[in-house]
Amino acid sequence: MDTGLTQAENRELEQRLQKRQVKEFMNVFGSLVDNCFTSCVDDFTSKAMSNRENGCISRCVLKSMSTQTRLGERFGELNAAMAQEMQKRM
């Protein structure tokens, strides 16, 4: 597939995309940590987390990961449907 870019331009584009993906991942991860911590941790009288807090954190992370996975799947489905629709129009 010819993109009209030189090899150097393709490498630079790839590096920029990778940096953007890392940045987006870090934002999602930071939001997950902040949300689950705020929702689950409320007792600061001990260094250790309680069993309730540990369970809450586990459920929160699992639910968030499942939601992100489903959103990704749904996005892929919609993207494929849009691509099919564009193919029909051509």
Side-chain angles (χ1 to χ4, degrees):
M1 178 180 201
D2 186 24
T3 60
L5 300 174
T6 66
Q7 284 184 339
E9 290 170 331
N10 275 326
R11 278 193 303 274
E12 183 179 345
L13 179 61
E14 187 66 32
Q15 288 173 346
R16 286 180 183 215
L17 289 172
Q18 287 175 354
K19 285 180 183 179
R20 184 175 180 171
Q21 287 175 335
V22 168
K23 186 176 179 178
E24 288 175 9
F25 171 78
M26 294 304 292
N27 285 336
V28 169
F29 181 74
S31 294
L32 169 70
V33 169
D34 185 51
N35 181 49
C36 292
F37 181 84
T38 302
S39 297
C40 297
V41 179
D42 55 14
D43 180 10
F44 298 98
T45 60
S46 171
K47 288 182 183 180
M49 290 182 5
S50 69
N51 288 337
R52 183 196 60 77
E53 289 171 331
N54 275 322
C56 180
I57 292 283
S58 294
R59 287 187 300 277
C60 182
V61 169
L62 183 60
K63 187 174 185 177
S64 294
M65 290 175 61
S66 296
T67 299
Q68 288 295 325
T69 299
R70 180 60 186 132
L71 285 172
E73 290 169 353
R74 187 67 179 130
F75 179 77
E77 292 166 3
L78 292 173
N79 195 29
M82 286 174 55
Q84 257 185 342
E85 188 62 33
M86 292 294 283
Q87 286 288 348
K88 288 180 184 177
R89 292 182 185 177
M90 294 180 147

